[in-house]
Every structure is written in structure tokens, then in C-alpha cells.
Amino acid sequence: MATLRQLEYLVAIVDEGSFTRAAESLGVTQPGLSHQFQALEREVGGPLLERLPRGVRLTPAGRSMLPHARAALAEAGRATVSARRAAGVSTGELHVATLYSISLGVLPTVLGLWRARHPGVRVRLFEHRRADEMAQAMAAGQADVAVGPLPDGWEGAARHIGDEEFLVVTGAGDPAATAAGAPRVRLSDLAEREWVHFTPGSGLADILERACADAGFRPRVAVRTEQAPSAIGYAAAGLGPTLVPANTIPPHFGGAFLRPDPPVRRRLTGYTRTGPDPVTVSFLEVLGDHAPLLPPHVARRLRAGGRPARTEAEAETEAGHCAADQP
């Protein structure tokens, strides 16, 4: 049976691109590394790497083994950390996998509160563009816990967090924002508009495409961007509507936002591969209790119609007009 040390050597050789650099990075002799690697190849019954004039290349057997080797090493590291935490040693790192939009809209509040409880534990984030990519990384042992949609058929532990609401964002003077019936808008009424869209292959692009398809159209594109904050800025500048998680809209936002009809939501969970240790359980508790799925500043604006509050200059102008009208 392969040992963790042998799996560590395989990963190092692949990552460094050569036996020599792998030995240097691990602080071992090259003959010792080669001997252990040859023993691993004998164990699996065939070569795992092709030795090339410049570098190495994985064989089919090596490509099959590599993700399992990475997962085993990651799990071994977490096993040590988990044991230390169970023994009351709150040090080390908490590894959290998530999506870019969740990292922006949900995690700052949660991690700020959680870190106050565990000041000795560092946080390492692994941010992903798509939920399926994150699920694959979690299955390979990337992180202690993931925050996002629960993958279909996930066999590990999971805690439901709540439903994240998506809003249509526009410029303050956009016809959709000033029409009767705001702060709601039927997506079908925006079928002829050009949209601030997202980079193909991103999770936010998939959500926008699916919402528009459910409304009976495919969105025309004015501009594409990678991140929700950029989309919000372009939409506020008048390039077209966009669709973003409500918790990514900043306070004092100068544009308008509306609830789409029908609603667009994303269910969030915190999930792990195995039973979570006490520190991870604490993180899940804070996540469940304090995740800002609909931030207060957004909720207040929605109750007020979704449009921005009047500026001081506008209020003074209106007050002046009222005074001029007095006899």
C-alpha cells in the first residue's frame, strides 16, 4: 500500500516538474526520492510518470492517481489539525472554499465574527467561479468546509444556511426603476434590453441565462464582466440591467435595484467531506446565524421602492421650490 510520503513525492515531482527540483523542495536527496518513487510504481504495477528530456509527464495511471494523492495529503493534514483542535489547541488554519460572489457578499461579516472567537486560527480561502468546480475541489479534499449550493448527492455533512436573493440592478433613472409597480420587475419586460452580463462559464452567467430563459428570452449583451461589483457599477452607469446577489450591493449605492418576478434565489449551505471538528462547527454556527443573505441597507431600500434616497442637493432644491410656491 502506498505511503503518505510516497504520495507526497508524486505530488512534488508533478508540481516542480522534475525529480531534482522536487528533492530540493522537500529537503531530501534525489536518490532517496527516486527510490521511494520507484517503490510506489512497483506497488501500483506500472509507471506513473514519463521521464522527458525536459521535465516529466503523467501516464494515464499517474493522471488517475494524482487527485487521490492530493486528497489523501490534504485529509492527513486536516486530521492532525482536527486532533489538535479536539484537544483544545485552537491554532492552525481553517480552509474555506466558496464562490467569488459569496466571498464578497457573505463571508466578510461571517469571518469577522468567527475570527473574534478564534483569534489564533488563520483563514485560507479557495475562491471558485462555479459551484460544480468547487464541489469537485471539495471532493478532492481542498478545504475543511465549503459555502455555496449543496452538490447533488453530496454524502458529507451539510448545514442549510438560507436562500440568497438575486436582484435586478439598473441606473437610477432607468425606465424599469421608475415604472409603476417598482420595486418589482418582470424579467420578460426586459427581454428587448441589452444586459450587463458575466464572463461565459462563470456561475453568475449561468444564473442570469437560466433566469432569462425561464422568462422566455435570451439576454442580449451590452458588456461582460467577471465580478458582481463591476456589473453593479456598469448597470448603475446606464449600460443596462444586471442580476446579482442582493448582498453584493454596497451601502449608499447610487443606482436602483428591483426584485425580479418570478424571484431568483440560490440556496446556500455549509458542507464538509467528513464530520466537522469543533472549530469548523463553530464556523458553521456563525455562518448559519449571521450570514447577511439580505443586508439591512438593501431591505430598507426595497421597502422604499428600490430607488436611491434623495441627495442633500435634491432635497434643498425641492425645499426651495416649495418655499417659492408659498404666498
Side-chain angles (χ1 to χ4, degrees):
M1 181 177 294
T3 66
L4 285 175
R5 177 59 59 86
Q6 290 170 342
L7 297 179
E8 182 183 26
Y9 287 178
L10 168 63
V11 170
I13 295 167
V14 172
D15 289 346
E16 296 295 335
S18 78
F19 281 72
T20 301
R21 289 194 295 271
E24 292 173 353
S25 69
L26 293 171
V28 299
T29 65
Q30 184 173 336
L33 181 143
S34 297
H35 175 76
Q36 286 294 322
F37 187 75
Q38 290 167 4
L40 176 62
E41 290 186 316
R42 287 195 299 272
E43 175 68 28
V44 301
L48 298 171
L49 294 172
E50 294 181 49
R51 283 73 164 174
L52 304 176
R54 293 184 178 180
V56 295
R57 181 169 59 198
L58 286 164
T59 65
R63 287 195 296 272
S64 177
M65 189 173 197
L66 182 63
H68 298 286
R70 293 190 189 278
L73 293 171
E75 195 63 40
R78 275 193 294 278
T80 301
V81 172
S82 180
R84 288 173 60 82
R85 291 171 182 169
V89 183
S90 292
T91 59
E93 287 187 334
L94 176 71
H95 292 184
V96 180
T98 193
L99 303 175
Y100 281 110
S101 60
I102 296 172
S103 181
L104 170 71
V106 173
L107 286 188
T109 297
V110 171
L111 287 175
L113 294 170
W114 178 82
R115 188 81 192 288
R117 301 183 185 182
H118 301 276
V121 182
R122 298 182 300 275
V123 178
R124 183 177 179 185
L125 287 178
F126 298 90
E127 297 170 309
H128 297 271
R129 299 175 71 226
R130 299 171 55 93
D132 56 351
E133 293 175 359
M134 182 172 70
Q136 293 171 6
M138 281 297 293
Q142 181 184 68
D144 299 302
V145 60
V147 182
L150 183 67
D152 292 338
W154 186 258
E155 297 180 354
R159 173 166 177 165
H160 175 58
I161 305 305
D163 289 342
E164 187 180 36
E165 187 172 0
F166 280 68
L167 299 178
V168 173
V169 174
T170 70
D174 191 282
T178 58
R184 292 190 179 274
V185 62
R186 290 185 300 180
L187 288 181
S188 58
D189 290 342
L190 304 176
E192 299 304 318
R193 300 287 300 276
E194 290 189 330
W195 286 73
V196 177
H197 211 320
F198 297 95
T199 305
S202 73
L204 291 178
D206 294 343
I207 290 171
L208 176 55
E209 287 284 345
R210 185 164 57 249
C212 292
D214 290 343
F217 69 97
R218 184 171 184 179
R220 299 161 58 194
V221 179
V223 63
R224 289 185 184 268
T225 182
E226 183 78 18
Q227 300 285 356
S230 300
I232 291 169
Y234 292 135
L239 274 73
T242 194
L243 186 70
V244 296
N247 48 55
T248 62
I249 300 173
H252 314 299
F253 173 59
F257 46 82
L258 311 162
R259 278 192 163 112
D261 185 13
V264 179
R265 297 188 177 97
R266 176 169 62 181
R267 176 158 291 190
L268 299 187
T269 59
Y271 62 92
T272 65
R273 293 179 66 244
T274 57
D277 62 73
V279 172
T280 305
V281 168
S282 174
F283 170 78
L284 289 171
E285 289 174 351
V286 175
L287 180 67
D289 293 341
H290 299 285
L293 301 180
L294 185 66
H297 69 274
V298 173
R300 287 193 297 269
R301 280 272 299 271
L302 287 171
R303 289 194 296 270
R307 292 182 291 276
R310 293 176 301 167
T311 64
E312 292 183 6
E314 290 170 336
E316 290 176 359
T317 299
E318 182 175 327
H321 288 162
C322 292
D325 291 339
Q326 297 296 321

